[in-house]
Amino acid sequence: MSPERIAASLTLVLIVGVAAYAVAESGISIPALFESWGNAERFFERVGGIEFPPAAELAQLTALTLGIVISGTVFAAVLSVPIAYLAASNTTPGRGWQAFGRFVTVLTRAIPDVVLAMVFVLMFTIGALPGILAIGIHSIGMISKLFADAIEQVDEGPRLAIRAAGGSKLQEFTSGILPQVLPSWVATVLHRNDINLRGSVVLGYVGIVGLGMEMSFAFKSLNYSEGLGIAVVMFVLCVLMEIVSSVIRTAMLGVAPSGRGLGDRMVRGVANARARRSGGRGVSAGERIETRAGLDTPRPSGNEPHAASDLHAALRRPWTSTHIRDTAWGWTALAVVVASVAVCDIAWGDLVTFWAKVPEIAMKFWPPNFGSYDAETMLSAMGETIMIALAATLLAVIVSIVVGSLAARNVAPNGTVRGGFRLLLLVVRGIPELILAIVLIVITGLGAQAGTLALAFGGIGLLGKLIADSLEEVSAGPERAVRATGATRAQVYASATVPQGTRALIGHSFYLLDTNIRAATILGIVGGGGIGYYLLNAGQGSNYQVVTSIVFMILVTVLIVEGIAVWMRRVFR
Amino acid sequence: MSETSVIEVEGLTKRFGDTVALGDAALRVDRGEIVVLLGRSGSGKSTLLRHLDGLETPTSGSVRVLGEEVPSLTGRRLRALRGRIGFVFQQFELVPSLTVLENVLTGSLAELRGPRLGLWSYPKRLKLAALGHLDRVGLLDQAYQRADTLSGGQQQRVAIARALMQEPEILLADEPVASLDPESSAQVMALIREIALDAGLTVVCSLHQVDLALSWGDRIVGLRHGAVVLDTQASGLSKAEVMEIYGKVVTSTTELSAIEDELTDAASVVEPVR
Ligand SMILES: Nc1ncnc2c1ncn2[C@@H]1O[C@H](COP(=O)(O)OP(=O)(O)OP(=O)(O)O)[C@@H](O)[C@H]1O
Ligand SMILES: [Mg+2]
């Protein structure tokens, strides 16, 4: 073992130890859970069921929320193309540009969209624009990171061919690389759109219009029935969006993307599942076989060329089913984007006028200080956030190993068990953890426990699926070898399947920790404990210098965790 | 410098670290000639061809193509020269997810400014020309199919149509049939020759099959360890003579038998379709 591996292993043990301590400290226990179930019943008795806002208002709020989220995602999707171009090592014009691209990627990802929203709300007239920009800028990081990864994995051949034909650098990119990475880009953007919809609730707490704001008003005025009603609407929206985007990813893309990015993995998972259901016949494979058969009978050389009129006729592209499908998807996507922007009723003038306010507002945020809080309070709040993330991750890992294994084809005792657990994971994944947190907080009271539980629950949906997928991807050879020795099912699992899947597990767990740290920082905004509470307070009390110091603490934490995560994934690859 | 030469390579040396890919190579090709570069794997065929298109910078030596000193060109002028030279690759190098027609159209990028994506972004005039070239290679009916749904032989014909789209004066081909089955190979080689004769193209095509080279080319240029060791007209030349000429440049008998081996196995190798 190399010294680096030893160091990494020790760090891993240390992190797990701290996480275990965090779980113990959080006081989550099975009896307590049952007790809070009792709380929930009493709570609902008191509230007397849920209520929805009037239908017209609800429809308008829903449209606005969807509009803001989709516009923001599209904004990020567009900007991520040049950023990824700069950040990818095979397309970047130079080292300096690459460093700049990577810096933008890391920075936009590290600043929570809530913080951006807080700042933008000060700069713009009330409306959709601050929300769109906050979501958009924060999303650039993830989309361009995964997009740059995809660009680095393309086949360089077609691009070389375009260079050889005299194409410019830009043309090499648009004609040779972009078509290859478009499927993974679309998949990533759709995935990000799901995440943004889930996160949009919190933006309402800091003044972004839409369902989230309505919900925060309802809870603040102690109108629990309506608050919960809106929460239910958000649940349903998120689940619907998840279904729509996974349908698009598989149907429109047709071909399973081959990248290693998270987006690709997910799409591939769905596509594989589809292919398996339809008897192992993937969409593209089927088409390929049809066209290969019998068509490779070129006319002998010296053939009669077609008349000019035939060539003119061939200019019109025939309406094959593929062409109809692609065109329909294209126009639908365009219509959705246009409608989203339209429904936001953007005050475009703001984009011109806000620059004048930037210096003045920037001054308010500088220099950073802790205001009336002492450093110790702030540091321990940050510590609490970290503990929430660690505890939630560990809980999720433990449950996911069980659930994920049972959802893997090569581990599950039979198809029914596997199908059942896959479905369970799908449902869990559809439930946005932030809304779960809000509901838990409303029911069981403020505090870290609700936040931890909500994050852990959400983590199971993501991690369980990733574990199931990577277990299914392990090579079957060692399993067969162990089975041949007469080992039991459990023995095969323990000595052949698990060892192969361990690396993937470590990688995925750190990915989850990374996500959870970000999520935990904003949990406090809705009352889930940790630094977020102080962030919201500072923002609402116009203590912007405190906001700056909190953002710095969050940035440092996120970057450290990300650094460790990258290191772990590299060492245990 | 002769006026009829379109390619003049002198003293060309290319090193990759410690590997000498080309050592003092020289080559002169006249307009309209059909030349085969023959040589074993690693002899420097691809490296030489890539230098002709400015895809590689020489360590030393001179590369003049169509009257331009290639290594000195940059930016727009380099792209303009590349636009006059078609290049056909062993692995076809089509963009898999684009239609056949759009792949052919990428051959016209040198004469277009700015990025293009989607058929609508190309002018009608070019689309008609592209369809004409597809017709020429017998694939008009496949124009709107995705490129990766075609067979290897068909893909290579699309790549040829893409090169034709440049209306090139020179066609470079790097083992264009090494990934094809014998039948498709014959078709593709015949097509290249036919098109070259029609349009008066100058062709430099690398191959590793001696038999094919002899039956197909007008002139054979043999490379070995990055140097030209054979340069002769193909007509009337036999395989034995090729080996004999190779033999003159080596000294020991062991090396001679090594050459014999390499020529026989080069001739018998038919690489599987990718
Ligand atoms: N980019 C590169 N980096 C390092 N070495 C290279 C590079 N390109 C070529 N070489 C080396 O240069 C030598 C000549 O390679 P080249 O590809 O020109 O041979 P070739 O005749 O085309 O062979 P093949 O028939 O296998 O295609 C080889 O030893 C090769 O390893
Ligand atoms: Mg080669």
Side-chain angles (χ1 to χ4, degrees), chain A residues 317-326, chain B residues 144:
Chain A
R317 183 171 187 173
W319 285 99
T320 57
S321 61
T322 331
H323 185 32
I324 293 174
R325 192 192 62 195
D326 290 354
Chain B
Y144 294 101

Side-chain angles (χ1 to χ4, degrees), chain A residues 155-172 174-180 182-183 253 255 284 287-288 291-292 295-299 301-308 310-312 314-318 320, chain B residues 50 53 55 79 82-83 85 87 89 93-99 106-107 109-110 112-117 119 122 124 127-128 131-132 135-136 138-140 142 144-146 148-151 154-155 157 162 166 184 187 190 194 274:
Chain A
D155 176 6
E156 292 277 329
R159 175 195 197 191
L160 180 68
I162 286 164
R163 183 183 311 162
S168 64
K169 277 239 179 305
L170 183 59
Q171 289 169 337
E172 280 176 33
T174 52
S175 298
I177 294 179
L178 217 49
Q180 294 189 60
L182 221 46
L253 307 174
V255 187
S284 59
E287 272 183 3
R288 212 163 292 184
T291 48
R292 283 237 164 133
L295 279 178
D296 196 12
T297 46
R299 285 165 298 161
S301 42
N303 53 354
E304 284 299 308
H306 282 82
D310 289 349
L311 294 186
H312 273 277
L315 271 179
R316 241 171 295 120
R317 183 171 187 173
T320 57
Chain B
R50 290 165 59 86
D53 207 19
L55 294 169
R79 285 193 272 129
R82 283 175 178 163
I85 305 171
F87 206 122
F89 298 84
E93 311 303 11
L94 302 179
V95 186
S97 56
L98 295 183
T99 57
T106 59
L109 284 172
L112 295 169
R113 268 164 191 270
R116 309 283 151 156
L117 186 56
L119 287 172
Y122 291 89
K124 188 176 167 193
K127 278 192 264 193
L128 271 178
L131 288 166
D135 192 26
R136 180 73 183 80
L139 290 171
L140 185 60
Q142 279 78 21
Y144 294 101
Q145 239 165 280
R146 266 176 69 121
D148 57 3
T149 62
L150 301 188
S151 70
Q154 289 175 322
Q155 290 196 35
R157 275 146 58 205
R162 174 176 64 189
Q166 299 173 232
S184 311
Q187 269 172 13
E194 224 179 79
R274 178 165 60 164

Side-chain angles (χ1 to χ4, degrees), chain A residues 256-273:
Chain A
S258 53
R260 282 193 285 117
L262 184 70
D264 279 7
R265 272 175 194 288
M266 296 191 155
V267 179
R268 211 167 39 221
V270 184
N272 287 346

Side-chain angles (χ1 to χ4, degrees), chain B residues 14-17 19-22 39-48 50 56 90 174-175 206 208 223 271:
Chain B
K14 176 68 178 180
R15 277 189 217 101
F16 295 104
T19 325
V20 180
L22 290 172
R40 201 186 189 186
S41 179
S43 58
K45 306 182 293 290
S46 301
T47 308
L48 178 55
R50 290 165 59 86
E56 214 70 82
Q90 174 178 342
D174 191 4
E175 309 210 28
S206 77
H208 61 228
L223 278 180
E271 287 178 34

Side-chain angles (χ1 to χ4, degrees), chain A residues 523-535:
Chain A
L523 262 182
I525 290 178
V526 297
I531 196 75
Y533 168 76
Y534 296 93
L535 181 63

Side-chain angles (χ1 to χ4, degrees), chain A residues 401 404-406 408-412 467-483 488-505:
Chain A
I401 290 177
S405 297
L406 287 170
R409 194 171 1 95
N410 47 346
V411 183
I467 289 179
D469 287 352
S470 32
L471 286 183
E472 287 185 358
E473 276 170 23
V474 303
S475 92
E479 289 181 358
R480 241 179 279 128
V482 175
R483 201 170 302 128
T488 66
R489 180 171 275 282
Q491 286 166 332
V492 173
Y493 173 70
S495 46
T497 318
V498 170
Q500 292 192 76
T502 310
R503 285 160 187 197
L505 175 68

